[in-house]
Amino acid sequence: MKLDFEKIMILDGAMGTELYKRGLPSTAIPEELNLSNPEIVKEVHKAYVEAGADIITTNSFGGNRIKLQSKGLSHKLYEINKKAAEIAKEASAGKSLVAGSLGPLGRMIEPLGDLSFEEAVSIFKEQGLALADGGVDLFLIETAIDIMEVKAAILGLRELPIKKPIICSLTFTEGTLTVTGTSPSVGAVSLTSWRVNGLGANCGTNPFIFPEIIKEMASYTEIPIIAYPNAGPPEKWDEVPPEKFLELGLEIYNSGANIIGGCCGTTPFHISLLAKEIKGKRVVKRSLRKGIFLTSRSKIVVCDDSKTIVIGERINPSGRKALAEELKQGKFETLKRDAIEQELAGADLIDLNVGVPETDRKALMRKATIELLKIISSPLSFDSDDPEVIEAGLKIYPGKPILNSTTAKKEALEKTLPLAQKYGAVIIGLTITEKGIPESVEERVKAAYKIIEAAQFYGIPPQEVIIDPLTLPAGAQDPTITLETIRRLNKDGIKTILGISNVSHGLPGREILNSAFLAMAISAGLSFAIINPLKKELMETVLASDALTGKDKKGERFIRLIGPKREEKELRVSDLTLKELIIRGESESASKEAERLIKSGEEPFSIIEKYVIPGLEDVGEKYEKKIYFLPQLIASAEAASSVFETVKAFSLRTNSRKGRIVMATVEGDLHDLGKKIVGLVLESFGYEIIDLGKDVPATEVLRKSQELKPDVVGLSCLMTTTLDNMKKTVRLIKENLPEIKIMVGGAAVNEGFAKACGADGYGKDPFQAVELVRRWIKR
């Protein structure tokens, strides 16, 4: 049997909930059963094979080093995962393919967490090797909330000696967004650029939203799509009984999926109905969007001739001594300010160049990339003449960026094209040959085609290459050569890009020349302009040219943006208040501004009340409205914490906290990302947080509560199988310490469960948690 994406294949259903039905204790580690009770695992697999599943999934979802380590099982990692694959292979008896399941690591990769990207790659590789040795037919990276973790898994699995197909599945819990802000379109574009064999969605909080998710993904990719929703939210798995699940499966099929199955709460009966009705059907034909797609973790930029894409050029130390000196000292305040200002000014992408002589440019590129990922959502363009420096950024980037750049020289092509292919970047090709910059239009077009053909050799399609026909100073060369080259390439459907400002180098009236040349280039068909978006006249030229060339249909964007309120949009970081700096996550600037305010006479404690808390409340509203996501939330909380530290240094008064909160992830659950974020936000509001960690027994939570006498206990769990332990913990505390308020939260929890288990409140997100605590602690 082999993967056949021409017809619908059926995936199995839930493993964990089937094991619990067969008596697995709620505190047990399912993966450990592979060694202690393989027959019960095999029994579940066989039920799905008999139900008609084409693909069954190994019992290895939590079989990575981090999760096994917390249970003292890391020394059995290889044995557990290899056995997982062997059990599934034996159960399949050749009737089904076996997918090696790899779930989330349980720790976030920087900047969202403290795990390095390289360590994550190593952990996935380790688990993948054991699964491969056990005989899996493919890998399934599933229930991912952070696309960066998926990238680490892909790179880790590709380092294995035996190559297997890789399918990746994201989990959308915030409507049609992951908790880190990735939409179906962003996910589809990024995963396609990383050349996976399949992509899609599983689990989540609302199974009925899957048709919408799959339809959006299907419009951005030709890659096969997998979809396996759960059978309803926690404690409501009867909400989607088998017959209703079949109706949902048919909707997903019509949305363009290739593989359909079930996640938490689904049973062999659910799968048997899907197999009977949908298995083997021809896959629905997709209607694909056209253009060049670029992504960050949460934003997609589409180049489809409806606008000229602006790339902000400010982050370049060449000719900027202050920026160069800061970078040399390992500081990034100006770099971050430049990025925010350019994004505010309307740049679609931000070019990142850290070319400071006599520095470790690879380390600088890595650090600068991490800093920018915290504060802006625009995709990046990695700019350097050194491929190793570019790779330092490409490797840790959670999306589809631009690689800036290569030339038509053989050596340059051989060094840069493999990087674009490996990391899924769109590449800029400069029309420079071994003889230099061609003087004729024909020679530049010829150089462009040489780059495109070389890219195809590495598996990079022509539409992933942008050609830069080069702008030379008007005083040195006729600029109409550049314009005519753009015109010729545009006629052939090839996208072009220019750094505009070179045209005026050494001439007076540079801004006038730049604007005029930009308008002429757009008229000739230019797709991307590398400019300084803080120059109002340049941005207005782009808007006006788009309107006059018909890119901007009926001039709607021009009319909307060149209006009476335009001045309000021209905002710079230097103009931002402390509250706004916190909202934008500008830690260094926020701390400096707090210090300036205190030295100018502001009472230190009032800084918290006047600026920090209103700023965080604004962030909370943006988070609630899906304007901000996890990265921005963390950056704002860090900025608030930096102010708090500054204030503390000036006033002893702020050392007294508003209240004490003990937090813990309940026994049996190894996930604590959400709890950590809630703790960080509460701390930034002035509360003392004592985190007991994850997998904490109820008796330990009680013991620490008796010792520390907190005002509030916050409990979290992600896994539905640990809900009983949350109930047990709440009951134990209420029986012994009824005066303490208890707040519960986590992906497996909802308002109804919170009431049923006896908790005093449900914190859906960090800001609802703040509201609860404020209500309970009046100080």
Side-chain angles (χ1 to χ4, degrees):
M1 191 169 188
K2 62 180 181 180
L3 287 171
D4 180 1
F5 294 127
E6 295 299 316
K7 61 182 184 180
I8 295 295
M9 298 188 80
I10 301 297
L11 183 75
D12 61 5
M15 167 61 78
T17 46
E18 287 298 301
L19 289 175
Y20 289 111
K21 282 181 187 174
R22 289 164 172 78
L24 178 69
S26 60
T27 54
I29 300 295
E31 292 77 12
E32 198 275 334
L33 284 181
N34 296 334
L35 303 181
S36 64
N37 194 350
E39 287 305 316
I40 195 172
V41 179
K42 190 188 297 180
E43 187 183 314
V44 177
H45 285 318
K46 278 187 174 179
Y48 283 119
V49 173
E50 289 167 7
D54 297 301
I55 305 171
I56 58 173
T57 314
T58 58
N59 179 36
S60 57
F61 179 81
N64 63 68
R65 189 196 316 159
I66 293 174
K67 289 190 173 175
L68 292 180
Q69 206 164 33
S70 66
K71 281 294 181 182
L73 292 170
S74 59
H75 63 292
K76 293 184 178 179
L77 184 148
Y78 182 83
E79 196 180 353
I80 286 173
N81 284 282
K82 183 170 181 284
K83 188 67 177 176
E86 291 170 347
I87 294 169
K89 288 294 283 187
E90 192 176 331
S92 74
K95 297 176 185 173
S96 308
L97 294 172
V98 172
S101 168
L102 299 99
L105 296 178
R107 279 174 61 193
M108 298 295 282
I109 298 172
E110 59 183 349
L112 300 185
D114 59 356
L115 186 68
S116 76
F117 182 77
E118 290 76 10
E119 190 177 355
V121 170
S122 165
I123 292 170
F124 280 118
K125 181 182 177 182
E126 182 181 41
Q127 188 183 4
L129 178 64
L131 290 167
D133 285 351
V136 298
D137 301 297
L138 65 144
F139 293 112
L140 179 59
I141 303 161
E142 56 181 340
T143 324
I145 60 169
D146 179 16
I147 201 160
M148 193 64 191
E149 193 170 274
V150 179
K151 184 174 183 178
I154 293 167
L155 293 182
L157 296 174
R158 287 197 173 136
E159 290 180 6
L160 295 175
I162 301 174
K163 309 302 178 195
K164 306 276 185 184
I166 299 173
I167 297 177
C168 307
S169 179
L170 301 172
T171 290
F172 298 89
T173 55
E174 307 292 315
T176 56
L177 297 170
T178 70
V179 72
T180 52
T182 300
S183 67
S185 57
V186 169
V189 169
S190 298
L191 291 169
T192 299
S193 75
W194 299 335
R195 294 172 173 78
V196 295
N197 300 92
L199 59 90
N202 75 291
C203 212
T205 52
N206 180 4
F208 299 106
I209 209 163
F210 265 66
E212 183 184 340
I213 290 171
I214 301 308
K215 191 173 183 181
E216 184 176 333
M217 284 184 158
S219 65
Y220 282 90
T221 185
E222 293 179 300
I223 300 286
I225 292 178
I226 189 169
Y228 50 117
N230 56 35
E235 297 211 323
K236 288 186 179 178
W237 282 336
D238 57 346
E239 185 173 301
V240 194
E243 294 77 11
K244 200 169 181 180
F245 193 78
L246 172 60
E247 293 175 13
L248 177 62
L250 285 166
E251 283 188 62
I252 292 171
Y253 161 70
N254 286 318
S255 299
N258 302 69
I259 303 172
I260 304 173
C263 201
C264 298
T266 57
T267 67
F269 187 45
H270 286 78
I271 300 306
S272 69
L273 293 187
L274 283 181
K276 187 177 178 182
E277 190 71 28
I278 306 175
K279 183 174 178 175
K281 278 193 168 188
R282 301 296 297 179
V283 174
V284 173
K285 191 175 180 182
R286 301 176 192 175
S287 178
L288 289 167
R289 288 197 62 171
K290 302 292 183 187
I292 295 178
F293 308 120
L294 298 150
T295 58
S296 63
R297 193 194 302 273
S298 59
K299 184 178 177 181
I300 183 168
V301 172
V302 179
C303 174
D304 59 358
D305 296 328
S306 64
K307 65 177 289 189
T308 302
I309 306 297
V310 172
I311 302 178
E313 66 176 8
R314 289 277 298 164
I315 304 179
N316 189 332
S318 176
R320 297 184 66 195
K321 289 183 180 178
L323 174 62
E325 188 56 36
E326 273 194 19
L327 292 175
K328 192 177 283 188
Q329 295 175 21
K331 297 179 179 176
F332 298 94
E333 187 177 351
T334 301
L335 179 142
K336 290 198 288 187
R337 187 187 62 220
D338 282 348
I340 292 173
E341 286 181 345
Q342 290 183 99
E343 193 171 64
L344 286 170
D348 299 292
L349 290 92
I350 304 297
D351 192 68
L352 176 58
N353 185 316
V354 293
V356 181
E358 300 175 3
T359 59
D360 182 349
R361 292 191 294 160
K362 287 192 288 184
L364 265 182
M365 181 62 92
R366 181 189 177 94
K367 183 63 178 168
T369 302
I370 289 172
E371 291 298 322
L372 293 188
L373 289 176
K374 293 179 186 175
I375 56 167
I376 60 168
S377 60
S378 300
L380 296 182
S381 164
F382 292 101
D383 185 357
S384 176
D385 55 3
D386 184 341
E388 290 187 6
V389 175
I390 286 180
E391 184 172 18
L394 290 178
K395 183 165 63 174
I396 60 168
Y397 186 70
K400 182 180 179 185
I402 283 180
L403 189 164
N404 184 12
S405 57
T406 188
T407 69
K409 294 179 181 178
K410 185 171 183 291
E411 184 181 358
L413 292 169
E414 289 175 349
K415 286 183 177 177
T416 52
L417 291 175
L419 293 180
Q421 193 273 345
K422 181 176 181 180
Y423 297 109
V426 170
I427 189 164
I428 294 175
L430 309 176
T431 52
I432 300 174
T433 70
E434 277 76 4
K435 296 179 182 177
I437 300 175
E439 294 187 0
S440 71
V441 173
E442 287 71 22
E443 287 300 309
R444 292 193 194 185
V445 170
K446 187 177 175 182
Y449 273 99
K450 181 182 175 185
I451 295 168
I452 291 169
E453 287 169 9
Q456 286 180 289
F457 175 79
Y458 286 94
I460 302 168
Q463 62 268 27
E464 301 291 288
V465 181
I466 309 168
I467 297 299
D468 185 340
L470 297 170
T471 314
L472 295 178
Q477 192 179 64
D478 180 3
T480 61
I481 295 173
T482 302
L483 297 174
E484 182 57 25
T485 306
I486 292 171
R487 205 168 281 117
R488 289 271 295 275
L489 293 171
N490 186 52
K491 193 176 176 184
D492 292 348
I494 297 169
K495 303 299 182 192
T496 52
I497 187 168
L498 274 183
I500 296 296
S501 58
N502 277 352
V503 76
S504 62
H505 187 73
L507 295 170
R510 291 196 66 177
E511 292 179 2
I512 299 170
L513 286 170
N514 291 343
S515 293
F517 187 64
L518 175 59
M520 294 167 77
I522 292 173
S523 176
L526 186 72
S527 300
F528 294 80
I530 303 177
I531 60 175
N532 178 0
L534 304 186
K535 298 284 186 185
K536 190 172 73 173
E537 61 276 12
L538 288 177
M539 293 301 284
E540 289 176 345
T541 298
V542 171
L543 289 169
S545 299
D546 282 356
L548 294 173
T549 56
K551 283 185 176 180
D552 177 11
K553 301 296 182 190
K554 298 181 181 178
E556 291 178 355
R557 193 167 56 252
F558 178 81
I559 294 169
R560 188 175 71 249
L561 296 177
I562 305 291
K565 294 184 179 179
R566 177 181 45 172
E567 293 301 320
E568 294 176 11
K569 299 185 183 75
E570 293 169 3
L571 191 63
R572 293 197 172 197
V573 171
S574 55
D575 302 325
L576 297 179
T577 65
L578 178 55
K579 174 188 167 186
E580 290 163 334
L581 289 168
I582 289 168
I583 293 170
R584 296 213 164 261
E586 261 287 279
S587 294
E588 295 92 341
S589 299
S591 179
K592 285 183 179 177
E593 178 62 7
E595 186 173 340
R596 188 193 68 77
L597 287 169
I598 293 168
K599 287 181 176 176
S600 66
E602 286 262 14
E603 201 278 322
F605 190 72
S606 71
I607 298 282
I608 304 293
E609 299 294 338
K610 287 175 65 177
Y611 305 102
V612 176
I613 291 176
L616 288 172
E617 288 174 340
D618 195 304
V619 171
E621 285 183 23
K622 286 182 163 58
Y623 187 76
E624 184 69 27
K625 293 175 181 174
K626 310 292 184 261
I627 298 169
Y628 269 19
F629 302 102
L630 197 55
Q632 292 93 342
L633 191 156
I634 291 174
S636 293
E638 287 179 349
S641 294
S642 74
V643 173
F644 199 82
E645 291 303 315
T646 303
V647 170
K648 269 203 313 185
F650 281 86
S651 173
L652 292 176
R653 285 182 56 187
T654 53
N655 285 328
S656 58
R657 294 280 185 170
K658 292 179 176 177
R660 175 177 287 175
I661 302 169
V662 163
M663 303 192 72
T665 303
V666 299
E667 185 176 16
D669 206 316
L670 304 176
H671 305 82
D672 69 348
L673 170 65
K675 180 200 63 184
K676 282 184 174 176
I677 294 166
V678 171
L680 180 64
V681 173
L682 282 167
E683 194 167 41
S684 64
F685 271 86
Y687 297 98
E688 180 187 6
I689 302 300
I690 299 166
D691 189 345
L692 302 184
K694 51 195 175 186
D695 191 17
V696 185
T699 51
E700 177 64 8
V701 179
L702 175 61
R703 189 184 72 78
K704 294 299 288 186
S705 298
Q706 288 170 327
E707 174 191 332
L708 298 167
K709 303 188 185 323
D711 300 285
V712 177
V713 169
L715 300 173
S716 161
C717 73
L718 175 80
M719 298 165 62
T720 53
T721 52
T722 57
L723 287 171
D724 283 344
N725 292 333
M726 182 172 272
K727 284 182 189 173
K728 180 181 171 185
T729 309
V730 172
R731 188 170 58 245
L732 193 62
I733 294 175
K734 282 296 178 188
E735 286 173 356
N736 292 276
L737 300 167
E739 71 279 11
I740 293 179
K741 295 288 187 183
I742 301 179
M743 168 176 62
V744 297
V749 181
N750 56 32
E751 185 82 44
F753 174 81
K755 288 179 182 173
C757 77
D760 297 289
Y762 165 59
K764 181 185 175 186
D765 57 47
F767 296 97
Q768 285 198 2
V770 169
E771 284 308 306
L772 282 175
V773 172
R774 275 178 165 172
R775 203 184 308 153
W776 293 336
I777 304 175
K778 303 287 187 185
R779 291 178 194 166

